[in-house]
Amino acid sequence: MLSRVANSIYWLGRYLERAENYARFIDVNFNLMLDLPPGMKAQWEPLVFATGDQENYIKKNEGFDKKQVIYFLTLDRENPNSILSSITYARENSRIVRENLSKETWEKINELYHYVNNASERKIWDKKDPRSFFDNIKNQIQLLYGLTDSTVARTEGWYFRQLGMYLERADKTSRILDVKYHMLLPSPQEVGSPLDFLHWMALLKSVTAFNTYRRMYGTISASKVLEFLIFNRRFPRSIYFCLKEAEDCLHMITESSTNEFKNSAEKEIGALRSKLGFSDISDIIDQGLHESIDDLQQKINIISREIELNFFQLKPSVSPQNQEQE
């Protein structure tokens, strides 16, 4: 497969996953607003920090007003990681490799692009409950995933898309864990209180993990939530699960054995997945949650750069459009 084709398919996977995660985060915050005690103001600042775009946001806005944050994350064309920008880039990448996609997949991506592109701030806020807009985005992207699963052959292109999707998902799970934990963590007096429960419940819902967590773990506690979202080997949005799937995709692309590596990207992802596989929640707590998550994010960015160098570039340079978030 040509490197430019592989690059477009890989970033198609990343951008769709990014847009779906942003819609998910915003929707969950709306739900949290309904459950907060009377008089308690909802926090929108953590959503900006979860995306890693706080510097870009602060240059353009004062404070973290709800409408400003949602516009920035949803429809701001100057934010390269907004939902609109991500879906626009996904459509452009899919147009480039249209012959590698099924007809149904291309039509759904095109439909999603026009749905978001034709939206406006007024169209969203004129609705009594704007959550339906974000629900539609999530549902259409999930439908896209289903169409792709059912209509695309498991060739190199398939594995590059899956690779991009799982790396993006691992990154977003780590970000939401770090930011939610530090910015929404209640005071020591509130640990174990209904407010503490609401915060952890919102965190689980932001990655569609609440029901699965309750079935597997029962009661909600900080250590169990962290263990579930970092180390669980069966939940599709845990960091370990995503890295293992991404590693398997790389092995299928290079045709290397499970416990071997043929390039630096496989080496880096294998080392990180192995480290998580032989760690537990006590290791995270001992090192410090923020320090552990920050280390994870840096290593995921290293893996992304190694994939870029090994598969997509003839010389080390960074595409102005297709970039991972720092």
Side-chain angles (χ1 to χ4, degrees), residues 108-156:
K108 180 53 64 176
I109 292 174
N110 203 39
E111 179 184 329
L112 175 62
Y113 164 76
H114 286 293
Y115 174 74
V116 178
N117 193 52
N118 292 333
S120 66
E121 189 175 11
R122 179 177 178 182
K123 182 176 181 180
I124 295 175
W125 291 113
D126 275 353
K127 297 180 179 180
K128 183 178 180 181
D129 187 352
R131 287 178 297 172
S132 61
F133 175 76
F134 300 104
D135 277 337
N136 284 336
I137 293 174
K138 290 189 297 179
N139 292 338
Q140 289 193 49
I141 293 176
Q142 289 296 323
L143 177 58
L144 260 170
Y145 288 166
L147 282 171
T148 305
D149 286 348
S150 302
T151 61
V152 177
R154 271 50 172 176
T155 58
E156 273 188 328

Side-chain angles (χ1 to χ4, degrees), residues 274-318:
S274 179
K275 179 181 178 181
L276 283 182
F278 288 94
S279 302
D280 57 28
I281 192 60
S282 63
D283 298 313
I284 299 292
I285 294 172
D286 290 343
Q287 183 179 352
L289 178 64
H290 175 71
E291 291 75 15
S292 298
I293 296 298
D294 188 57
D295 183 56
L296 272 172
Q297 289 171 1
Q298 290 182 30
K299 288 180 178 176
I300 290 172
N301 282 339
I302 290 172
I303 292 166
S304 299
R305 286 193 285 270
E306 292 302 325
I307 289 171
E308 186 86 11
L309 291 170
N310 280 279
F311 296 102
F312 308 143
Q313 294 184 0
L314 297 178
K315 58 181 181 180
S317 62
V318 178

Side-chain angles (χ1 to χ4, degrees), residues 29-48:
N29 234 41
F30 272 114
N31 289 321
L32 180 60
M33 287 170 56
L34 301 176
D35 294 329
L36 287 175
M40 178 165 287
K41 186 178 180 181
Q43 296 191 48
W44 290 95
E45 183 179 0
L47 296 188
V48 177

Side-chain angles (χ1 to χ4, degrees), residues 14-266:
R14 292 203 69 153
Y15 280 127
L16 286 176
E17 183 68 19
R18 187 172 299 176
E20 199 257 359
N21 274 278
Y22 281 28
R24 183 190 305 278
F25 296 164
I26 295 169
D27 186 46
V28 167
N29 234 41
F30 272 114
N31 289 321
L32 180 60
M33 287 170 56
L34 301 176
D35 294 329
L36 287 175
M40 178 165 287
K41 186 178 180 181
Q43 296 191 48
W44 290 95
E45 183 179 0
L47 296 188
V48 177
F49 279 79
T51 66
D53 286 320
Q54 59 269 28
E55 290 186 12
N56 189 13
Y57 178 89
I58 292 170
K59 289 177 182 177
K60 303 174 59 179
N61 301 279
E62 292 184 5
F64 292 87
D65 176 76
K66 176 176 68 175
K67 289 188 177 183
Q68 288 179 324
V69 170
I70 292 176
Y71 177 79
F72 176 76
L73 296 179
T74 306
L75 300 175
D76 192 343
R77 296 179 184 273
E78 295 180 7
N79 174 11
N81 297 307
S82 69
I83 292 175
L84 176 57
S85 294
S86 294
I87 292 175
T88 300
Y89 294 150
R91 179 180 181 268
E92 179 61 19
N93 280 309
S94 63
R95 186 191 62 79
I96 293 171
V97 296
R98 187 170 173 178
E99 68 279 3
N100 290 271
L101 305 176
S102 65
K103 175 176 176 288
E104 294 81 2
T105 300
W106 162 253
E107 288 177 347
K108 180 53 64 176
I109 292 174
N110 203 39
E111 179 184 329
L112 175 62
Y113 164 76
H114 286 293
Y115 174 74
V116 178
N117 193 52
N118 292 333
S120 66
E121 189 175 11
R122 179 177 178 182
K123 182 176 181 180
I124 295 175
W125 291 113
D126 275 353
K127 297 180 179 180
K128 183 178 180 181
D129 187 352
R131 287 178 297 172
S132 61
F133 175 76
F134 300 104
D135 277 337
N136 284 336
I137 293 174
K138 290 189 297 179
N139 292 338
Q140 289 193 49
I141 293 176
Q142 289 296 323
L143 177 58
L144 260 170
Y145 288 166
L147 282 171
T148 305
D149 286 348
S150 302
T151 61
V152 177
R154 271 50 172 176
T155 58
E156 273 188 328
W158 162 267
Y159 291 110
F160 273 114
R161 189 193 69 85
Q162 291 291 98
L163 174 62
M165 182 188 74
Y166 279 115
L167 279 180
E168 185 70 26
R169 188 175 295 179
D171 177 74
K172 288 300 173 288
T173 298
S174 71
R175 288 178 185 274
I176 203 69
L177 263 178
D178 190 26
V179 175
K180 289 279 188 181
Y181 184 83
H182 282 278
M183 300 194 72
L184 292 183
L185 185 66
S187 65
Q189 292 78 15
E190 293 172 336
V191 172
S193 69
L195 181 59
D196 190 26
F197 175 86
L198 284 176
H199 287 160
W200 288 111
M201 183 174 69
L203 191 152
L204 287 167
K205 286 183 176 180
S206 68
V207 290
T208 321
F210 180 69
N211 292 332
T212 303
Y213 172 89
R214 290 299 296 267
R215 285 194 297 270
M216 297 181 69
Y217 290 79
T219 57
I220 291 180
S221 72
S223 61
K224 288 181 179 178
V225 171
L226 294 172
E227 181 180 22
F228 178 63
L229 293 181
I230 296 173
F231 297 110
N232 192 278
R233 302 190 179 207
R234 297 180 178 87
F235 180 60
R237 289 185 176 273
S238 78
I239 296 173
Y240 179 88
F241 185 99
C242 292
L243 289 174
K244 182 65 172 67
E245 290 294 314
E247 182 185 24
D248 290 345
C249 288
L250 276 176
H251 288 319
M252 294 300 295
I253 291 167
T254 63
E255 298 182 344
S256 59
S257 301
T258 301
N259 296 318
E260 299 177 355
F261 63 89
K262 290 185 176 180
N263 56 58
S264 55
E266 286 183 295

